[in-house]
């Protein structure tokens, strides 16, 4: 609870957590990766309780597998059988394949046999066929003037990518890429003891885009997703279009190093359709001409926008409250939050030499 309270206070919380029992202890002795699971405080019963505690806070729980763990105690069963059995027993939700370009299909088969199917997440999905049985993967954002399109999200819009760039100092690169593509971000701050924190500005961005992504998650998996829709009207503004039955969501990023006010988007209009600036939490008044609606709102330098068009007869449940909350947050500009990174100084602690031994 203390851990999750901190994350919610700083950047709006998380949806899943990857618990890593093995680093840095594996290799000290003969214990294998699954022995390190069992040796966590409380053993298997403690693990099951921990998973339940995360679930109580609506956070999914993943554990890793290490295909390179070959020189430790032999488990006596195949890796895919053991991980399926253990994670089924403790009620965990998924597996991250450390160093794996694809988590092989046999893991999917073994997991499904337990009746407790797991989500499989490769470290980097470089095998196209793996899209059929790897539900997620770690991705890496590219710092380009024009946002890149996430290939596997484009092929299968339900596929979840977690942008993971542990040494990235300017998190805006990752956050803009993720928001544009409708994917997730892995805010990895403690990199094996090296502190690379989310700055206050990073944290506020994460909070705001997280609130939009969670509220409109059903649209972000639209099979009709159109990245780089031609709706933006100004230089350096890029948008993705996520159509639904009666609603359409656009996620928008400003790649300019300056504010861009005024007319931003021109979209097809239908009588009765309403438009909402989700980023600023207000309803917009369109200028309609020749069947097209022109919408105006401001975008900060290196900032974000989100537009919802609704032809529904009744507004989405909770939309009024959502807009009110976003309007309050938008009163404070993103660029008023500090970009300063704190770091934790490290120093070598001298260890007294041990007394030489006469024999082993």
């Amino acid at each position: 609870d203390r851990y999750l309270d901190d994350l919610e206070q700083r950047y709006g919380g998380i949806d899943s957590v990857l618990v890593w029992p093995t680093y840095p202890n594996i290799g000290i002795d003969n214990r294998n990766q699954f022995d390190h699971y069992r040796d966590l405080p409380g053993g298997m019963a403690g693990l099951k309780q921990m998973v339940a505690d995360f679930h109580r806070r609506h956070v999914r729980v993943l554990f890793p597998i290490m295909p390179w763990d070959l020189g430790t105690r032999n488990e006596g069963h195949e890796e895919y059988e053991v991980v399926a059995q253990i994670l089924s027993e403790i009620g965990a939700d998924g597996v991250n394949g450390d160093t794996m370009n694809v988590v092989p299909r046999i893991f999917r088969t073994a997991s499904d046999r337990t009746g407790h199917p797991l989500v499989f997440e490769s470290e980097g999905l470089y095998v196209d066929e793996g899209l059929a049985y790897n539900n997620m993967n770690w991705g890496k954002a590219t710092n380009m003037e024009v946002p890149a399109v996430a290939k596997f999200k484009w092929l299968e819009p339900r596929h979840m990518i977690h942008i993971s760039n542990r040494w990235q100092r300017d998190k805006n690169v990752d956050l803009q890429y993720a928001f544009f593509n409708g994917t997730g971000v892995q805010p990895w701050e403690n990199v094996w003891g090296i502190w690379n924190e989310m700055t206050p500005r990073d944290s506020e961005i994460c909070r705001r885009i997280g609130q939009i992504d969670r509220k409109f998650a059903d649209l972000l998996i639209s099979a009709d997703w159109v990245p780089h829709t031609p709706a933006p009207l100004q230089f350096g503004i890029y948008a993705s279009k996520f159509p639904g039955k009666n609603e359409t969501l656009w996620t928008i990023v400003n790649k300019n190093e300056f504010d861009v006010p005024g007319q931003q988007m021109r979209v097809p209009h239908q009588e009765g359709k309403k438009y909402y600036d989700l980023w600023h939490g207000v309803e917009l008044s369109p200028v309609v001409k020749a069947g097209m609606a022109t919408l105006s709102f401001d975008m900060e330098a290196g900032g974000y926008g989100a537009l919802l068009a609704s032809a529904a007869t009744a507004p989405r449940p909770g939309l009024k409250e959502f807009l009110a909350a976003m309007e309050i947050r938008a009163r404070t500009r993103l660029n008023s939050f500090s970009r300063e990174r704190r770091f934790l100084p490290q120093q070598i602690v001298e260890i007294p030499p041990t007394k030489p031994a006469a024999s082993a």
Side-chain angles (χ1 to χ4, degrees):
D1 285 313
R2 186 176 69 169
Y3 170 62
L4 293 179
D5 287 346
D6 169 65
L7 301 187
E8 287 186 6
Q9 185 273 326
R10 289 197 293 125
Y11 53 77
I14 56 174
D15 302 287
S16 63
V17 62
L18 174 55
V19 179
W20 206 276
T22 45
Y23 291 171
N25 296 318
I26 194 164
I28 289 174
D29 51 31
N30 199 39
R31 289 176 298 165
N32 65 36
Q33 58 184 302
F34 302 114
D35 292 327
H36 285 278
Y37 283 48
R38 301 176 183 111
D39 284 347
L40 287 173
M44 294 297 287
L47 274 184
K48 187 173 183 178
Q49 183 61 55
M50 183 197 70
V51 171
D53 287 338
F54 273 119
H55 285 172
R56 173 172 51 84
R57 297 286 295 265
H58 308 292
V59 174
R60 301 291 191 176
V61 185
L62 287 80
F63 284 84
I65 47 173
M66 283 76 183
W68 43 261
D69 176 24
L70 303 174
T72 55
R73 186 183 72 83
N74 191 320
E75 188 75 24
H77 298 280
E78 296 292 346
E79 183 181 50
Y80 51 82
E81 295 174 326
V82 179
V83 73
Q85 182 271 321
I86 288 180
L87 297 194
S88 173
E89 181 180 336
I90 65 175
D93 303 290
V95 171
N96 175 276
D98 183 39
T99 73
M100 300 175 78
N101 291 334
V102 63
V103 180
R105 184 188 294 271
I106 191 66
F107 283 84
R108 168 88 281 142
T109 304
S111 166
D112 291 351
R113 275 200 301 262
T114 68
H116 180 84
L118 299 166
V119 164
F120 289 98
E121 177 180 61
S122 57
E123 180 162 335
L125 191 52
Y126 299 107
V127 180
D128 288 6
E129 179 200 347
L131 189 60
Y133 40 90
N134 284 218
N135 317 80
M136 306 194 297
N137 74 280
W138 279 3
K140 188 171 181 179
T142 49
N143 189 12
M144 300 169 62
E145 184 176 332
V146 177
V149 176
K151 172 185 174 182
F152 290 107
K153 166 79 173 176
W154 181 72
L155 289 169
E156 169 50 85
R158 295 172 297 177
H159 184 81
M160 173 53 71
I161 301 167
H162 289 133
I163 302 305
S164 175
N165 191 353
R166 65 196 72 165
W167 304 117
Q168 176 65 269
R169 297 182 181 184
D170 181 7
K171 301 290 199 306
N172 206 50
V173 172
D174 297 345
L175 293 165
Q176 281 199 333
Y177 178 94
F179 192 60
F180 178 83
N181 284 283
T183 64
V185 169
Q186 179 177 257
W188 192 346
E189 294 182 290
N190 184 340
V191 189
W192 301 305
I194 297 172
W195 187 242
N196 186 15
E197 74 169 356
M198 300 276 285
T199 66
R201 184 181 187 274
D202 296 334
S203 296
E204 185 61 21
I205 294 168
C206 198
R207 182 192 309 279
R208 296 187 196 184
I209 66 176
Q211 288 174 329
I212 293 169
D213 286 352
R214 293 178 185 113
K215 183 65 178 177
F216 301 96
D218 56 316
L219 295 176
L220 291 176
I221 58 171
S222 169
D224 299 317
W225 173 42
V226 182
H228 286 297
T229 181
L233 297 174
Q234 303 210 49
F235 175 82
I237 307 296
Y238 301 94
S240 271
K241 178 182 178 182
F242 297 91
K245 184 178 180 180
N246 294 308
E247 296 174 313
T248 299
L249 171 70
W250 288 267
T251 59
I252 312 163
V253 296
N254 179 9
K255 299 294 282 187
N256 296 300
E257 296 180 3
F258 47 84
D259 292 354
V260 179
Q263 294 184 350
Q264 297 289 359
M265 301 279 284
R266 184 172 292 131
V267 300
H269 179 70
Q270 294 174 339
E271 191 65 33
K273 187 179 285 188
K274 292 189 173 184
Y275 302 91
Y276 302 95
D277 176 352
L278 300 178
W279 193 263
H280 294 98
V282 295
E283 184 174 349
L284 296 173
S285 299
V287 175
V288 178
K289 184 176 181 180
M292 301 294 288
T294 300
L295 300 150
S296 299
F297 48 90
D298 295 342
M299 293 196 66
E300 280 189 64
Y304 301 76
L307 174 66
L308 179 72
S310 176
T313 54
R316 172 181 289 254
L319 179 62
K320 181 180 178 181
E321 294 77 10
F322 174 84
L323 292 171
M326 292 299 289
E327 191 275 331
I328 292 172
R329 300 217 75 87
R331 294 175 192 173
T332 307
R333 286 171 53 87
L334 281 181
N335 290 326
S336 69
F337 289 89
S338 172
R339 296 171 181 257
E340 184 178 352
R341 295 173 59 252
R342 296 179 305 163
F343 59 92
L344 300 182
Q346 298 179 332
Q347 54 185 326
I348 295 175
V349 177
E350 293 295 334
I351 301 174
T354 57
K355 183 180 178 180
S359 60

